[in-house]
Amino acid sequence: MPESLERDAAATDPSADYGPDYYAHRCGPIPYARTDHWLRFFGGVADALIRSFAPRRVFDAGCAIGLLVESFWDRGVEAHGRDISTWAISQVRADIRPWCEVGSIADPLDAEYDLITCIEVLEHMPEAEAIKAVHVLAAAAPRILFSSTPSDLDEPTHINVRPPAYWLALWAQAGLAPNVTHDAGYLAPHAYILERSETGRSERELVAFADRVRHRVALSQVGAALHGTQERLSESERENAALRAALAEAAARGDEQRHRAETAEAALMLVRAEAASARAELEQSVTDLTAARAAMASLQASLVLARHGTLTAQANRAAVTETVTAATEARIGTASRTIRRRARQVLRVLWWAATLQLPARLRARRAVARGQVPPTATAVDGSPPSSSALLAKRFPDLAPLPVFAVPRSDGRRLTVVTDSINVGSLYGGVGTALILAALAARRMDAGLRIVTRTEPPTVANVDAVLSVHGIPWDSNIEFLHAPRNGAGTGRDVPASPDDLFLTTSWWTTWSTRQSIPRARIAYLLQEDERMFYPLGDDQLRCRETLSDPGLLYLVNSELLLAHLRDDAMAPGATAFEPSFPTRLYHPAGPGSRTAGEKRGFFFYARPNNVRNLYWRGLEALSAAIEEGILDPAEWEFHFAGHGAGPLSLPRGVHPVFPGPMSWPDYAAFVRRMEVGMSLMYTPHPSYPPLDLAASGAVVVTNRFGRKRDLDRYSPNILCADPDVPALVAALREATALAADPVARAANFARNGLQRDWAVSMAPAVERLVDWAAR
C-alpha cells in the first residue's frame, strides 16, 4: 500500500493509535501486558468489587487486553468487555475472547449489568462521544466504577482530560451520584463508585466530593514524590553501607579466626560440664537402684531367718514378718519413685543432647537458679545478636513445642495444644476443640492430655465445657503448661510414638510441627487465619502452614472449607458443622418478657478484633437509632464481647455491658435477645449469629466472599453487604421480622442448625479415627 494510503487508513481507523507500541511504552513506567504485576493489580480490583458489591454480571468499558474481564471470570463472575483497539482484543486470553468485542463504548450495549467499570477511557474520546458514552453506560447498570486522569496532559491520546467536577456533573445528568462511603483507592486516587440515584446529589455535594477527589490526588502526588526521595536516600545509604562494610571486612578478617577459636574452646568446656552433670545424675540413679536391691536382699534374709530360727522366733514370725515387710516395702516404694524420676530426667537430658538443645537448656536452668532471665537476643560476650536469636525474638509464638522422647506406651494418647483454656479464651473455637478432642479420644479409646502455651490451665473449665454440652467423659485428663518463652524454662512434654496431637491455630501447629512428625498432627482450622495479618512474614508463615500436605486438616463449617479450597488451602481437609444443644439454645417462650420490660438488642462488640467490624457496626447501629428503626423507648442495647468501653449512642442511649459470663449464663443471656447484629469480615459464619438464631432471635450479619446468605443455618439470619446503608436496611428488616411472631417462629422451625455434637462432628471424628489407624 502506498505511504499516503497508509496515512489515510490510520487517520480513519480509531484504533490505529492503540497498537503494540502504545501498550508497551505509553501506559506508564510498566509495560501493559499479561504480567504478574498487572494480573495481581486487576485481581485485587476484582476482589474488592466482589467483596463490596457481589456483582453477578460485569461489563468493562475499554477492556484493552481483557485483564480485568479474565480476573472476574477466574473468580466465578460473568464479565464482558469492549475496546476500540483491534490489536488489544486480539491479545485477550483465548478462553475469554468470545466475551470481548471491538467497538466504541459510545455505541449502545445489548444487555444490562450489575456493575460497569470504566477505567481511564473517557479522556481518550472526543467530548461529544464521551458524553454519549456516559449516558449509554449509565442506562446499562445501576453502579459504575469510574476513573479518568485529571492531570496527565502529556500523553498525545489524552484529548479530553477534565477535572473531577466536570465528570461528576456529567454523571449526575445521567442519573448517577457518587457513593461517598466506598473508597476506591485500590484502583487510583481519583477513582470512585457511582450509583443510580433518583434525586442525584446537590451541586454543593458534588463540588465537595470533587474537592475530596482532588485532595486525594494531591496527597498521592506528594506521596509519590516522597517515595522517590526516599528511594534516592536509600540508594545513597546502601552505597555508604557497602563502603563501610568493605572497610569493616578487612578489619574483621583478623578477628574472625581468634573469635572462632575462643568460641570452640568455650563450647568444648560447656559440653564437658554438661556431660559431667549427666554422668552424675546417671550414677545417682544407679546408686538408688543398688539400694533398692539391697533392701530386697535384706527382706529375703529376714524371711529365711524367721523360717529356720528358734521355736520362739517361729511363734512370733507373723508379727516380725509383717513389721519387716512394711518397712522394707516403704523403702522399695521410695526407691522406685526415685528411680522413675531419675529415669525421666535421664531421658530428658538424652533427648536434649540428641536434638542439640542441651547447651541452651543447661544455660537457662543455671540462669533461673541464679534468679536471672535467660538471654534471648544478645550473646553472652556482648557481640551482636545472631540471626536465630533475632528470629526467635520476632516470632516467640513459633518457638518449638518443648518435648522429650519417652518409650512407647500401652495405648494411644491425644494431646490438644492450645494457647489457653481459661475463661477469657474458652468460648467458641477453644470450646469446640475440647469437644472434638473428647469425642475423638473416646471413639479411639485413647487418653486425653491438654497442653497450654500462654498461661497455666484452669482444670475445672474443661469439665464445665463438656458437661454443659452433654459430652460424657469419666476418665482422667492430663494437664500440662508448656510456655512459649523459647528459653527452656517451662515444662517439657513427654512424647511417645503412640501420641497424637490436635493443634488449634496455625502458630500452635507451626511450633508442634518442629518437634513432632507431621503424620501425627491434626490441625483444627476454624478461620482463614491468613486474614489476621497484612501481607508480610506472619501471613507467609500462616499460608505455609495452611497448605502443608503432610498435616490432617479438620475445618469448622463447609462454608469455610469451600473458601479455603478456592485458594488451594487445607489440602484433603474434612469439614464439620458446629452444634447448638437445645438444653442451652432455645427460644425463651411467650411471657418471658415482663410488662414494661424493653426488648433486648445484642451487639457483638469486640473493638480489639478488627475482623468483627466494631466501628462499622457502631456506624450502622447509630444510624438505625437516629432513623427510629431501633427506638430507645422500646429497646435495651447490650454490647457483648471484650474490650468495648462505656459510650453514648444517639438519642441518649447508654448500652449495657454484661461482662464475662459462664457458658450457661451466656446461653440464658442470649435467650433474652430478640434482635442482634454480629459482624465478621471473614468467610466463617462465626458463633454469635448462630447462637442467637438457635435461641429464636433475628440477627444481622455481613456478607463476605462465599458467605452470601446463611439460610442453610436459619432464615432468621439476615446477610447484608457491609456498607452502612445495607446494614441499616437489614436492621429495619430484622426488627420487622422480630415483631412478627408467626413469621419468626416459622423461620425458626425451618432452621438447619445441628443440635448434637456427636452427630455434627461425626465426619471429623471418623476421619481422626482412620488417620490414627494408619
Side-chain angles (χ1 to χ4, degrees):
M1 178 184 294
E3 183 179 349
S4 60
L5 293 179
E6 288 183 356
R7 286 197 301 268
D8 292 342
T12 57
D13 182 2
S15 73
D17 289 330
Y18 304 104
D21 180 72
Y22 172 81
Y23 289 100
H25 304 293
R26 292 161 56 188
C27 290
I30 301 175
Y32 191 90
R34 186 171 286 98
T35 60
D36 287 344
H37 167 81
W38 288 111
L39 290 173
R40 282 195 303 270
F41 175 79
F42 283 109
V45 172
D47 286 337
L49 292 171
I50 292 170
R51 184 166 55 246
S52 298
F53 305 113
R56 293 182 174 83
R57 202 159 187 256
V58 179
F59 181 82
D60 185 17
C63 63
I65 59 176
L67 299 183
L68 183 54
V69 175
E70 70 180 65
S71 295
F72 276 115
W73 275 108
D74 290 345
R75 287 156 176 79
V77 177
E78 179 184 339
H80 301 250
R82 182 188 294 177
D83 197 276
I84 199 67
S85 171
T86 304
W87 181 87
I89 296 299
S90 72
Q91 303 302 304
V92 173
R93 200 173 75 188
D95 59 320
I96 305 299
R97 200 169 298 158
W99 308 94
C100 296
E101 63 182 3
V102 178
S104 170
I105 62 171
D107 294 334
L109 302 183
D110 57 0
E112 292 186 352
Y113 300 89
D114 301 310
L115 172 69
I116 288 177
T117 57
C118 182
I119 302 172
E120 307 301 315
V121 178
L122 297 189
E123 68 269 23
H124 295 268
M125 303 172 67
E127 182 177 15
E129 191 174 356
I131 293 172
K132 183 179 177 183
V134 164
H135 288 273
V136 166
L137 300 179
R143 182 176 288 115
I144 295 176
L145 172 65
F146 176 70
S147 71
S148 179
T149 176
S151 57
D152 186 2
L153 301 171
D154 296 332
E155 164 57 39
T157 62
H158 287 181
I159 58 175
N160 192 27
V161 175
R162 306 288 182 175
Y166 172 87
W167 295 117
L168 287 167
L170 194 57
W171 287 111
Q173 293 173 12
L176 298 182
N179 181 326
V180 297
T181 63
H182 183 88
D183 183 0
Y186 50 82
L187 175 63
H190 51 275
Y192 46 87
I193 289 286
L194 295 150
E195 293 180 334
R196 191 170 292 162
S197 170
E198 295 296 332
T199 59
R201 300 283 181 188
S202 68
E203 183 178 353
R204 176 177 297 179
E205 289 174 318
L206 294 178
V207 170
F209 190 82
D211 287 340
R212 173 179 167 184
V213 174
R214 189 168 61 256
H215 292 156
R216 280 197 319 210
V217 172
L219 285 174
S220 173
Q221 292 169 344
V222 170
L226 287 174
H227 178 71
T229 302
Q230 289 172 347
E231 285 292 319
R232 290 191 294 274
L233 287 173
S234 297
E235 181 62 29
S236 298
E237 289 174 356
R238 286 192 291 270
E239 292 175 356
N240 290 335
L243 291 174
R244 288 195 298 270
L247 292 173
E249 183 180 358
R253 288 196 187 104
D255 294 337
E256 184 178 355
Q257 296 300 325
R258 181 171 65 255
H259 179 68
R260 286 180 179 175
E262 292 172 351
T263 302
E265 183 178 359
L268 180 59
M269 293 176 64
L270 181 61
V271 169
R272 285 174 177 168
E274 290 160 352
S277 176
R279 190 183 306 115
E281 291 190 4
L282 184 59
E283 290 172 353
Q284 182 62 47
S285 297
V286 172
T287 300
D288 292 338
L289 182 59
T290 302
R293 287 174 175 168
M296 182 63 73
S298 174
L299 173 62
Q300 291 172 345
S302 299
L303 292 174
V304 171
L305 180 61
R307 188 178 300 115
H308 298 93
T310 63
L311 292 174
T312 303
Q314 291 174 349
N316 295 301
R317 179 178 59 188
V320 171
T321 302
E322 181 180 353
T323 303
V324 172
T325 300
T328 307
E329 285 179 349
R331 293 175 61 200
I332 291 173
T334 302
S336 298
R337 287 193 297 272
T338 303
I339 291 169
R340 288 196 298 270
R341 185 176 67 253
R342 293 293 183 182
R344 285 196 298 268
Q345 292 172 348
V346 170
L347 283 171
R348 189 181 295 116
V349 170
L350 292 175
W351 176 257
W352 288 348
T355 57
L356 304 180
Q357 301 180 60
L358 189 57
R361 295 283 185 165
L362 293 178
R363 281 197 300 272
R365 286 177 173 235
R366 286 195 292 271
V368 170
R370 293 193 296 268
Q372 301 171 347
V373 178
T376 57
T378 305
V380 175
D381 60 2
S383 61
S386 67
S387 58
S388 59
L390 289 173
L391 283 167
K393 184 177 180 181
R394 168 62 178 81
F395 301 103
D397 292 349
L398 306 187
L401 182 70
V403 303
F404 67 95
V406 296
R408 187 179 298 274
S409 60
D410 295 334
R412 290 198 177 277
R413 175 171 52 187
L414 179 62
T415 299
V416 179
V417 183
T418 190
D419 289 342
S420 170
I421 58 169
N422 293 353
V423 172
S425 56
L426 194 59
Y427 293 100
V430 175
T432 303
L434 297 177
I435 293 169
L436 174 60
L439 289 171
R442 188 161 60 110
R443 176 72 172 77
M444 294 187 290
D445 194 22
L448 182 58
R449 176 172 62 183
I450 297 172
V451 175
T452 60
R453 304 303 309 276
T454 60
E455 52 188 342
T458 301
V459 174
N461 283 342
V462 176
D463 180 64
V465 170
L466 298 182
S467 60
V468 81
H469 286 90
I471 308 299
W473 185 268
D474 53 10
S475 301
N476 184 45
I477 300 178
E478 300 176 61
F479 293 87
L480 187 63
H481 178 44
R484 302 182 303 193
N485 56 17
T489 59
R491 293 280 304 280
D492 288 357
V493 180
S496 82
D498 294 310
D499 285 333
L500 306 172
F501 289 78
L502 177 66
T503 57
T504 54
S505 61
W506 80 266
W507 52 90
T508 55
T509 306
W510 183 287
S511 62
T512 304
R513 192 174 58 171
Q514 296 182 77
S515 307
I516 300 297
R518 288 170 167 79
R520 287 159 50 196
I521 301 174
Y523 174 10
L524 175 57
L525 185 54
Q526 306 194 69
E527 187 54 278
D528 185 349
E529 296 171 335
R530 296 172 299 171
M531 296 182 177
F532 296 172
Y533 312 98
L535 295 176
D537 283 289
D538 299 276
Q539 189 185 110
L540 174 64
R541 285 161 174 75
C542 179
R543 176 179 287 272
E544 290 170 348
T545 310
L546 266 64
S547 59
D548 185 345
L551 300 170
L552 171 65
Y553 296 92
L554 305 170
V555 180
N556 190 343
S557 82
E558 292 283 356
L559 192 61
L560 177 58
L561 178 55
H563 163 82
L564 293 169
R565 282 176 173 164
D566 287 342
D567 205 14
M569 295 289 106
T574 296
F576 66 90
E577 294 295 339
S579 275
F580 303 86
T582 306
R583 73 182 73 188
L584 285 174
Y585 303 102
H586 57 82
S592 58
R593 183 155 47 94
T594 61
E597 183 181 1
K598 294 183 179 181
R599 305 168 73 184
F601 182 89
F602 175 108
F603 176 46
Y604 196 38
R606 299 207 301 173
N608 298 325
N609 296 70
V610 294
R611 62 187 184 280
N612 285 117
L613 299 180
Y614 171 77
W615 306 106
R616 176 47 53 89
L618 270 187
E619 291 178 290
L621 180 56
S622 298
I625 294 173
E626 287 179 337
E627 293 181 23
I629 296 171
L630 292 165
D631 186 351
E634 182 182 358
W635 294 90
E636 184 174 60
F637 301 86
H638 300 263
F639 278 34
H642 297 288
L647 76 159
S648 177
L649 295 170
R651 300 176 65 182
V653 170
H654 296 281
V656 178
F657 296 86
M661 293 175 278
S662 68
W663 215 307
D665 289 342
Y666 168 74
F669 166 73
V670 168
R671 290 196 295 270
R672 292 170 43 218
M673 301 297 109
E674 294 190 46
V675 173
M677 180 168 61
S678 177
L679 306 182
M680 175 63 79
Y681 202 53
T682 75
H684 190 265
S686 80
Y687 277 96
L690 307 183
D691 294 339
L692 288 159
S695 303
V698 182
V699 57
V700 171
T701 191
N702 61 283
R703 297 188 177 108
F704 183 98
R706 282 180 171 266
K707 184 172 67 178
R708 310 310 303 165
D709 66 68
L710 296 179
D711 285 350
R712 72 188 74 183
Y713 297 110
S714 172
N716 280 334
I717 304 177
L718 308 180
C719 287
D721 289 336
D723 58 272
V724 172
L727 291 173
V728 171
L731 287 172
R732 186 187 302 277
E733 183 181 353
T735 56
L737 179 56
D740 185 344
V742 175
R744 180 175 160 193
N747 283 350
F748 179 79
R750 295 200 307 272
N751 77 56
L753 292 162
Q754 297 284 345
R755 295 294 191 172
D756 186 336
W757 280 108
V759 174
S760 67
M761 275 192 171
V765 171
E766 292 306 314
R767 180 69 187 280
L768 274 170
V769 172
D770 294 342
W771 166 72
R774 292 181 305 177

